Amino acid sequence: MFHPRYAITLAIAALLLSNSPMLLAQGRSIPVSSEVKAEEQKELPDVLPEGQKYRYRFFNGLNVSVDILDPLLYTFYFEHASFEAQVMADFHHRFFPMASFGMGIADETSDNGLEYGTGKKQEFNFKSNLAPFGKIGFAYNIDYNSTRPNDLYLVFLRYGLSYNKADISNLYYADELWGSLGPISINDQEYTTQWVEVGGMVKVQIVKHISLGWDLYFKAKITQSGTQYGTPFFVPGYGPNKSHIGFSFRIFYDIF
Amino acid sequence: MTLLKPSDPSSRPLSKALRLLLGACCIQVLLCACDNGCEQVREAYMTTTFTSTSGRTMRSISLICFSDTLGYKVTFSQFTDVELQLNPKGNHTTMILDCSYSDYGDLYTTSDTVDISYTVEPRFLDMECGCTVLFRIDDVHFTRHLISNLIINDSNVVADGEATNLIFEY
């Protein structure tokens, strides 16, 4: 049966490959670094005219991006993922307010089969259906008067909010004295989570209007509700509940 | 030779993109591979403390703990932070305490019975550890041969709990 995961991967591959034949056929030679530098200096002067604070105008456009790493890993490796789209505005090439929205999913089975008390292997499952999340934040370009306007080096702060509902099934509890208790199910657990992310982002232009980039960040939860029967394994937009480092790989499209 | 602008996209963009993507996948897998094995305590122990309010000195306690048909016996001579296990498959556990104590130099033995009623709630920990349980102590009944009072200091018996749950006064 054709799994939805493969559709996501095919879509990403199509997006990556869509510009390639034309680009590869151009066959132009690659310049050496001194030639690139000379070309840069020709285009944009290193020193700004006196009294001019910014090299770039007030509003420089919008870009949208999607994280392609999580869907890709979900297809081949992980049993959980967050699908995220982000929009970012450019002011003076220095300030970048951003907002993102997405959906997260998890259907994770314990992969090691726990040797639990009785010595039997027990596999339990954490299932969270597609659930929404949103993030808003602000990025700052540390090299805002750079002569390379299409490459960005940003630091950012984001706030995230998500809601998900999960079922946990086939749990076992055992102690040496009283033996094994189970299977236990914890159903319809509703979690609301707020968190913050602080990190850095790089955006590098690949072809006209299309850029790729990473963001690597530290994340920490502010509040999490609905944890009467334990914390969730997965939070949409945040990732595994116990993680504190986040990483995404984005494909950007510059709208104008 | 055609000189390219710095941001000109034609310098093998596909290869550049795939290399970036491959690197990103490796980083992500490495980040997620850190969680390995359960490092949390799963068993929940009820912590008890015995305190003298009458001037008697406890020598030892032999304790039989049972719930339904199952049970266990333990003997101890240190009377603070004694850890006992409640039965997760039941809703009450009975303890029979055979106590040996001295009063003004004379040795005595006596018995008391303590019946603890509780509710059991599962707690999900994570994908490595599975679950633990929380015992919520609802009620305690006891005889008063040696024990003069029993205080429920913390009614929640949890795996990583640090508080004393029951304080026996004698």
Side-chain angles (χ1 to χ4, degrees), chain A residues 16-17 20 23-24 26 28-31 35-36 39-40 42-43 68-70 72-73 77-78 108-112 114-116 124-126 148 150 168 171-181 184-186 204-208 212 214 216 227-233 240 242 245-247 249, chain B residues 1-29 31-33 35-38 40 42-45 65-68 70-72 84-89 93 120-136:
Chain A
L16 279 172
L17 295 169
S20 59
L23 299 168
L24 293 172
Q26 288 177 6
R28 282 190 272 171
S29 57
I30 300 167
E35 290 167 340
V36 171
E39 189 67 18
E40 275 179 14
K42 213 185 295 175
E43 290 272 315
I68 55 174
L69 188 60
D70 245 31
L72 201 64
L73 289 171
Y77 189 76
F78 289 158
E108 186 101 6
T109 302
S110 62
D111 54 0
N112 48 1
L114 296 177
E115 300 282 346
Y116 225 79
F124 56 90
N125 180 266
F126 179 94
R148 297 173 67 108
N150 296 314
I168 311 158
L171 289 162
Y172 281 81
Y173 172 80
D175 64 41
E176 291 171 4
L177 220 52
W178 302 105
S180 179
L181 170 69
I184 306 165
S185 291
I186 305 173
V204 179
Q205 190 180 57
I206 300 293
V207 294
K208 196 177 181 187
L212 292 176
W214 289 297
L216 181 64
T227 56
Q228 189 193 350
Y229 296 104
T231 53
F233 157 68
K242 287 167 80 178
I245 303 289
F247 183 74
F249 183 80
Chain B
M1 189 178 75
T2 310
L3 189 62
L4 305 180
K5 291 180 184 174
S7 56
D8 196 303
S10 59
S11 53
R12 292 187 175 272
L14 184 65
S15 156
K16 197 173 170 184
L18 287 176
R19 269 182 291 149
L20 283 166
L21 185 58
L22 193 63
C25 286
C26 293
I27 292 171
Q28 181 74 342
V29 170
L31 283 175
C32 294
D35 292 335
N36 216 349
C38 177
Q40 292 189 57
R42 284 175 288 204
E43 283 96 5
Y45 292 92
C65 203
F66 61 90
S67 172
D68 300 325
L70 290 167
Y72 67 95
L84 303 168
Q85 281 180 284
L86 300 173
N87 181 8
K89 289 185 265 191
T93 294
V120 183
E121 291 178 3
R123 284 279 181 284
F124 178 67
L125 294 171
D126 56 39
M127 293 308 287
E128 280 77 37
C129 299
C131 76
T132 181
V133 293
L134 177 145
F135 299 95
R136 198 183 302 280

Side-chain angles (χ1 to χ4, degrees), chain A residues 22-78:
Chain A
M22 179 189 70
L23 299 168
L24 293 172
Q26 288 177 6
R28 282 190 272 171
S29 57
I30 300 167
V32 296
S33 57
S34 59
E35 290 167 340
V36 171
K37 199 171 180 185
E39 189 67 18
E40 275 179 14
Q41 284 166 352
K42 213 185 295 175
E43 290 272 315
L44 294 163
D46 272 344
V47 182
L48 290 172
E50 206 173 304
Q52 187 180 332
K53 192 178 175 188
Y54 295 109
R55 186 185 297 278
Y56 303 100
R57 61 188 177 194
F58 176 68
F59 183 66
N60 282 294
L62 282 173
N63 68 62
V64 289
S65 64
V66 288
D67 176 17
I68 55 174
L69 188 60
D70 245 31
L72 201 64
L73 289 171
Y74 178 64
T75 307
F76 296 111
Y77 189 76
F78 289 158

Side-chain angles (χ1 to χ4, degrees), chain A residues 4-244:
Chain A
R5 288 176 171 196
Y6 299 117
I8 296 164
T9 309
L10 283 173
I12 293 163
L15 196 61
L16 279 172
L17 295 169
S18 59
N19 288 304
S20 59
M22 179 189 70
L23 299 168
L24 293 172
Q26 288 177 6
R28 282 190 272 171
S29 57
I30 300 167
V32 296
S33 57
S34 59
E35 290 167 340
V36 171
K37 199 171 180 185
E39 189 67 18
E40 275 179 14
Q41 284 166 352
K42 213 185 295 175
E43 290 272 315
L44 294 163
D46 272 344
V47 182
L48 290 172
E50 206 173 304
Q52 187 180 332
K53 192 178 175 188
Y54 295 109
R55 186 185 297 278
Y56 303 100
R57 61 188 177 194
F58 176 68
F59 183 66
N60 282 294
L62 282 173
N63 68 62
V64 289
S65 64
V66 288
D67 176 17
I68 55 174
L69 188 60
D70 245 31
L72 201 64
L73 289 171
Y74 178 64
T75 307
F76 296 111
Y77 189 76
F78 289 158
E79 293 172 309
H80 57 83
S82 295
F83 308 100
E84 180 184 342
Q86 177 180 272
V87 60
M88 193 161 74
D90 179 345
F91 295 101
H92 280 311
H93 215 49
R94 186 180 189 184
F95 306 109
F96 294 82
M98 57 172 87
S100 56
F101 178 79
M103 304 290 276
I105 189 169
D107 189 358
E108 186 101 6
T109 302
S110 62
D111 54 0
N112 48 1
L114 296 177
E115 300 282 346
Y116 225 79
T118 54
K120 291 178 186 172
K121 289 194 174 183
Q122 310 290 358
E123 289 188 342
F124 56 90
N125 180 266
F126 179 94
K127 185 171 184 176
S128 169
N129 291 328
L130 266 178
F133 69 89
K135 297 179 191 177
I136 51 168
F138 184 83
Y140 180 82
N141 184 5
I142 51 178
D143 195 14
Y144 58 91
N145 277 335
S146 162
T147 54
R148 297 173 67 108
N150 296 314
D151 297 343
L152 296 175
Y153 302 92
L154 309 169
V155 288
F156 66 85
L157 176 70
R158 276 195 300 238
Y159 159 83
L161 173 68
S162 80
Y163 164 84
N164 68 318
K165 198 171 174 179
D167 296 329
I168 311 158
S169 57
N170 206 38
L171 289 162
Y172 281 81
Y173 172 80
D175 64 41
E176 291 171 4
L177 220 52
W178 302 105
S180 179
L181 170 69
I184 306 165
S185 291
I186 305 173
N187 293 326
D188 296 328
Q189 295 305 294
E190 297 181 34
Y191 308 103
T192 305
T193 310
Q194 297 181 79
W195 71 94
V196 287
E197 298 172 352
V198 184
M201 183 189 288
V202 176
K203 174 178 176 275
V204 179
Q205 190 180 57
I206 300 293
V207 294
K208 196 177 181 187
H209 294 300
I210 303 283
S211 303
L212 292 176
W214 289 297
D215 42 293
L216 181 64
Y217 50 91
F218 172 80
K219 55 191 176 180
K221 289 183 288 293
I222 308 168
T223 62
Q224 191 163 54
S225 67
T227 56
Q228 189 193 350
Y229 296 104
T231 53
F233 157 68
F234 172 79
V235 176
Y238 184 89
N241 193 55
K242 287 167 80 178
S243 65
H244 288 290

